[in-house]
């Protein structure tokens, strides 16, 4: 079984705390796993605002206001729906950094011809910075796919924090 990168988690948690930044999650495939693991971070109370689990499509449409037409056109496991979930989250939770996650950790009862098992859609957003990743995690174990997704989110967060730092600290001309 894969391991959560606790060292990177705590380093990023410290950076968030030092910079006074907060996190919020909207999760479909991972069903709360991402925010749950963040709650294990040493200083989670200083940065974790909360999360929304929208495993069922009705939560996406009713709470997050994702268009049923968008889901029908692209499926619930798509970058387009992941972006729409992010927009809905931003209206519900005030945070600095947002994550939105959909995908397929296992085949399930309803095969999807558009999304393969182990395909994950991950978006991280802070102000005008948005990083989108489409991951392909080859593994038959859904738990490993969740852990790989979490570790990938840490890498995305690290990249986003670097971009935000560069934006907040432009190079000075001499």
């Amino acid at each position: 079984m894969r391991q959560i990168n606790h060292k990177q988690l705590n380093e990023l948690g410290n950076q968030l705390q030092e910079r006074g930044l907060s996190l919020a999650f909207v999760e479909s495939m991972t069903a709360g796993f991402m925010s749950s693991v963040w709650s294990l971070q040493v200083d989670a109370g200083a940065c974790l605002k909360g999360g929304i689990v929208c495993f069922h499509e009705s939560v996406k449409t009713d709470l997050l206001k994702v268009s049923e037409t968008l889901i029908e056109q692209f499926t619930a496991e798509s970058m387009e729906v992941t972006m729409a979930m992010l927009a809905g989250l931003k209206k519900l939770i005030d945070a600095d950094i947002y994550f939105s996650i959909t995908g397929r950790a296992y085949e399930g009862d309803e095969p999807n011809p558009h999304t393969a098992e182990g395909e994950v859609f991950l978006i991280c957003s802070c102000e005008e910075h948005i990083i989108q990743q489409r991951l392909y995690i080859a593994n038959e174990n859904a738990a490993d796919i969740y852990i790989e997704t979490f570790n990938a989110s840490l890498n995305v967060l690290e990249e986003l924090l670097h971009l935000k730092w560069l934006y907040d600290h432009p190079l000075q001309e001499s």
Side-chain angles (χ1 to χ4, degrees):
M1 179 173 252
R2 305 265 201 284
Q3 296 282 321
I4 293 166
N5 188 338
H6 291 283
K7 181 179 180 201
Q8 187 179 22
L9 170 63
N10 285 320
E11 287 171 358
L12 289 169
N14 289 338
Q15 284 185 42
L16 293 174
Q17 183 181 13
E18 288 169 7
R19 294 164 76 171
L21 298 173
S22 59
L23 293 173
F25 292 86
V26 62
E27 305 178 56
S28 181
M29 177 194 80
T30 51
F33 179 80
M34 307 287 281
S35 36
S36 177
V37 174
W38 261 101
S39 74
L40 300 173
Q41 196 276 331
V42 176
D43 297 309
C47 62
L48 180 60
K49 283 279 190 103
I52 295 172
V53 173
C54 59
F55 205 76
H56 195 270
E57 286 181 18
S58 65
V59 179
K60 292 175 184 70
T61 57
D62 297 345
L63 180 65
L64 298 169
K65 306 302 182 200
V66 175
S67 160
E68 289 180 17
T69 305
L70 189 70
I71 293 172
E72 289 169 12
Q73 182 178 1
F74 295 103
T75 77
E77 299 90 14
S78 64
M79 192 61 77
E80 292 81 4
V81 169
T82 308
M83 186 62 81
M85 288 167 35
L86 179 73
L89 175 65
K90 288 181 175 184
K91 293 176 183 171
L92 297 171
I93 298 176
D94 181 31
D96 300 301
I97 298 170
Y98 298 93
F99 278 96
S100 182
I101 302 103
T102 64
R104 292 184 77 82
Y106 49 85
E107 191 57 44
D109 294 336
E110 299 176 23
N112 181 337
H114 305 288
T115 307
E117 180 180 335
E119 189 169 1
V120 179
F121 302 93
L122 172 68
I123 300 175
C124 184
S125 167
C126 179
E127 298 169 354
E128 69 282 344
H129 307 293
I130 296 176
I131 298 175
Q132 300 178 22
Q133 280 198 346
R134 186 177 192 163
L135 308 167
Y136 297 95
I137 303 168
N139 199 310
E140 293 183 21
N141 182 330
D144 283 348
I145 292 171
Y146 283 21
I147 291 168
E148 287 287 325
T149 300
F150 184 82
N151 288 336
S153 77
L154 294 176
N155 294 332
V156 168
L157 178 59
E158 192 165 14
E159 182 181 344
L160 187 123
L161 288 174
H162 181 72
L163 287 172
K164 180 170 174 29
W165 186 89
L166 290 174
Y167 182 80
D168 291 347
H169 301 88
L171 296 174
Q172 301 295 321
E173 299 211 10
S174 359

